[in-house]
């Protein structure tokens, strides 16, 4: 295992693509193994590609791009703007609300952050918000997409850890809403102190709010339909992904009348580009996943943790600390694919619900995308908005602290996370 880890870290440090780093480290295991032929490694790559549950990933990625092209994003922005722009830090509140709503559309934190940096970022700066504060709000609010269904990370976690994706989707709703509230309160306190309040701000009338809600109804209805169809047994998570694609096309063409053939082609091209990267990482992880199991890494790690700590909550907290640190340096998709087979058997042995653990894990590993040194969402937002990283980091600290406090609270109160899955299943 030391050889695999060393090769993986070496290629990451020299800047090689993540999929190459994973593939070469897995390849090294089979080349140096005396008992495991290289052909098994090739079979493991092929076996990953034959997974039916994994079909949910390309379907939801394509659905997200189609919904962006169909005018759904614009309507969600209008609804969010009318609903909360009158508050202190109004545009920051709009960003947080929009991330919550977009979590049910894109399923990707980086995609959400990039979109908002282009749409809301310039408006925040024009209205007197500091660049660092604007970038921090936009980047960290995109973390909500890690738990709000259909989170791509939750799909991968459920697939690798053999955990019900339907239960994970339901479990992510309350933590996502709580994260929205925590971030909104933090933004409100900072905005109030700095007087980030629009001069002409006013509360919307019931009519304005109702009209905006009605215009965005198809976007707001989608996450609800997603949960109902899975829970009702109408679709599996993979099948509901294909339903999402059809839904996006029908809404874009017949309801919004904005989705043209050129838009569909552009959405397909963007989805193929995203999936090329995601699927190559997933396929290469097949070899490493097998090596981790073969070398009995979960048992070794479990023995080390269980011998040093006796309290299950303390052990889970230690694992979450490891995940948070790892998330600072490695992309969340990679961590889910590599570490889920190690930690899920451990937390099951402790009697911890893997659904509860999955929500906390996805939150922390995705948080690495918003923090230095290798945060993809952080660098994306800073590049689009021309913000210095040090300014972003300083302004992000209150939001980061609020999120960590929330994660700790959810760790101590598992019933909050598991309330909806237990109610529905």
């Amino acid at each position: 295992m030391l050889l695999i880890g060393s090769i993986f870290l070496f290629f990451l440090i020299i800047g090689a693509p993540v999929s190459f780093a994973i593939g070469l480290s897995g390849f090294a295991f089979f080349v140096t193994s005396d008992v495991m032929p290289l052909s098994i490694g090739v079979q493991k790559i092929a076996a990953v590609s034959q997974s039916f549950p994994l079909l949910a990933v390309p379907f939801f990625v394509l659905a997200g791009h189609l919904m962006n092209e169909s005018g759904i994003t614009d309507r969600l922005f209008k609804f969010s703007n009318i609903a909360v722009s009158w508050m202190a830090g109004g545009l920051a509140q709009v960003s947080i609300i929009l991330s919550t709503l977009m979590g049910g559309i894109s399923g990707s934190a980086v995609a959400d952050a990039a979109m908002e940096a282009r749409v809301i970022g310039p408006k925040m700066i024009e209205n007197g918000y500091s660049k660092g504060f604007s970038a921090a709000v936009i980047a960290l609010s995109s973390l909500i997409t890690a738990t709000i269904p259909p989170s791509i990370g939750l799909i991968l976690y459920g697939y690798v850890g053999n955990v019900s994706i339907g239960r994970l989707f339901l479990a992510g709703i309350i933590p996502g809403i709580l994260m929205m509230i925590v971030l909104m309160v933090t933004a409100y306190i900072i905005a109030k102190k700095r007087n980030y309040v629009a001069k002409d701000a006013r509360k919307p009338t019931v009519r304005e709010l109702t009209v905006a809600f009605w215009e965005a109804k198809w976007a707001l209805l989608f996450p609800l339909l997603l949960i109902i169809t899975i829970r009702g047994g109408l679709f599996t998570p993979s099948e509901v992904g294909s339903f999402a694609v059809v839904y996006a096309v029908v809404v874009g063409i017949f309801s919004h009348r904005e989705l043209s053939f050129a838009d569909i082609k552009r959405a397909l091209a963007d989805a193929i580009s995203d999936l090329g990267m995601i699927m190559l990482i997933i396929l290469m992880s097949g070899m490493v996943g097998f090596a981790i199991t073969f070398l009995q890494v979960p048992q070794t790690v479990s023995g080390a943790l269980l011998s040093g700590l006796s309290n299950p909550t303390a052990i889970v907290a230690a694992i979450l600390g490891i995940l948070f640190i790892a998330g600072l340096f490695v992309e969340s998709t990679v961590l889910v694919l590599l570490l889920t087979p190690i930690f899920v058997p451990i937390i099951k042995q402790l009697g911890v619900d893997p659904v509860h653990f999955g929500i906390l894990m996805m939150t922390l590993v995705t948080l690495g995308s918003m923090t230095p040194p290798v945060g993809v969402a952080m660098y994306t937002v800073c590049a689009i908005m021309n913000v210095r990283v040090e300014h972003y980091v300083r302004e992000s600290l209150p939001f980061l602290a609020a999120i960590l406090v929330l994660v700790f609270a959810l760790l101590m109160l598992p019933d909050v996370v598991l309330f909806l899955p237990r109610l529905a299943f």
Side-chain angles (χ1 to χ4, degrees):
M1 191 61 199
L2 181 62
L3 174 66
I4 294 174
S6 301
I7 293 174
F8 176 68
L9 289 175
F10 171 75
F11 282 105
L12 276 187
I13 291 169
I14 66 173
V18 173
S19 55
F20 281 40
I22 296 174
L24 290 171
S25 58
F27 180 75
F29 165 76
F30 288 96
V31 169
T32 57
S33 175
D34 296 328
V35 296
M36 200 60 58
L38 186 59
S39 60
I40 297 295
V42 177
Q43 290 175 19
K44 292 302 172 184
I45 295 175
V48 173
S49 69
Q50 304 303 307
S51 168
F52 182 75
L54 208 57
L55 282 172
V57 175
F59 280 135
F60 276 120
V61 169
L62 175 57
H65 285 291
L66 286 168
M67 289 182 182
N68 285 338
E69 296 289 345
S70 67
I72 283 178
T73 302
D74 295 336
R75 286 164 173 79
L76 288 176
F77 173 72
K78 182 179 178 181
F79 172 72
S80 304
N81 192 45
I82 290 175
V84 297
S85 62
W86 57 273
M87 300 170 63
L91 288 174
Q93 310 292 2
V94 170
S95 173
I96 296 166
I97 290 286
L98 187 57
S99 288
T100 308
L101 298 176
M102 285 299 296
I105 304 300
S106 69
S108 166
V110 177
D112 174 71
M115 180 275 295
E116 291 194 24
R118 292 187 180 94
V119 175
I120 303 176
K123 294 181 180 179
M124 292 180 73
I125 295 169
E126 287 173 14
N127 282 269
Y129 295 68
S130 74
K131 281 188 172 184
F133 175 80
S134 304
V137 169
I138 289 171
L140 282 158
S141 64
S142 69
L143 179 63
I144 299 171
T145 62
T147 61
I148 292 289
S151 163
I152 301 300
L154 288 181
I155 294 171
L156 294 178
Y157 172 84
Y159 160 69
V160 177
N162 195 26
V163 181
S164 166
I165 296 175
R167 291 187 75 226
L168 285 167
F169 278 0
L170 277 171
I173 294 173
I174 291 179
I177 293 172
L178 289 175
M179 193 178 301
M180 176 193 76
I181 294 170
V182 165
L183 290 174
M184 288 182 72
V185 170
T186 306
Y188 179 85
I189 293 170
I190 296 172
K192 198 75 173 175
K193 187 180 297 184
R194 299 183 184 180
N195 199 31
Y196 290 158
V197 182
K199 294 178 181 178
D200 57 345
R202 64 174 181 84
K203 291 185 179 181
T205 64
V206 174
R207 174 177 167 73
E208 289 172 334
L209 202 56
T210 303
V211 170
F213 178 86
W214 184 253
E215 289 180 354
K217 60 184 180 297
W218 298 114
L220 298 171
L221 183 63
F222 172 68
L224 184 62
L225 286 175
L226 183 149
I227 297 298
I228 290 173
T229 52
I230 291 177
R231 177 61 191 92
L234 185 61
F235 297 128
T236 66
S238 302
E239 292 165 346
V240 84
S242 60
F243 162 74
V245 173
V246 175
Y247 184 86
V249 172
V250 170
V251 170
I253 293 176
F254 298 105
S255 178
H256 294 170
R257 302 182 185 276
E258 293 184 19
L259 191 65
S260 65
F261 182 68
D263 295 330
I264 295 175
K265 284 178 61 179
R266 185 163 52 249
L268 281 168
D270 291 340
I272 289 169
S273 176
D274 289 348
L275 286 170
M277 173 185 66
I278 295 171
M279 293 306 297
L280 192 56
I281 292 173
I282 293 172
L283 293 177
M284 292 299 104
S285 71
M287 288 191 294
V288 177
F290 176 81
I292 288 171
T293 305
F294 181 79
L295 295 172
Q296 296 188 321
V297 175
Q299 291 85 337
T300 304
V301 176
S302 174
L305 287 172
L306 295 177
S307 63
L309 297 169
S310 57
N311 186 289
T313 303
I315 296 172
V316 175
I319 293 172
L320 293 175
I322 294 170
L323 290 170
F324 174 67
I325 294 170
L328 300 177
F329 301 95
V330 184
E331 202 267 333
S332 60
T333 302
V334 177
L335 290 178
V336 171
L337 292 169
L338 298 185
L339 298 184
T340 299
I342 296 176
F343 289 131
V344 167
I346 297 174
I347 61 105
K348 284 183 177 179
Q349 188 177 343
L350 295 170
V352 176
D353 194 312
V355 172
H356 177 214
F357 177 75
I359 298 301
L360 302 180
M361 176 178 177
M362 276 314 306
T363 301
L364 288 177
V365 298
T366 308
L367 187 58
S369 295
M370 295 95 202
T371 54
V374 293
V376 179
M378 175 188 73
Y379 288 122
T380 299
V381 171
C382 288
I384 292 172
M385 297 177 60
N386 192 26
V387 177
R388 294 173 65 90
V389 173
E390 56 267 32
H391 294 167
Y392 166 91
V393 171
R394 185 171 63 249
E395 295 280 12
S396 68
L397 292 178
F399 297 98
L400 182 61
I403 289 168
L404 293 177
V405 169
L406 175 63
V407 170
F408 179 76
L410 293 175
L411 170 63
M412 303 305 294
L413 301 169
D415 290 341
V416 173
V417 179
L418 298 174
F419 172 72
L420 286 180
R422 286 171 177 167
L423 187 67
F425 289 89

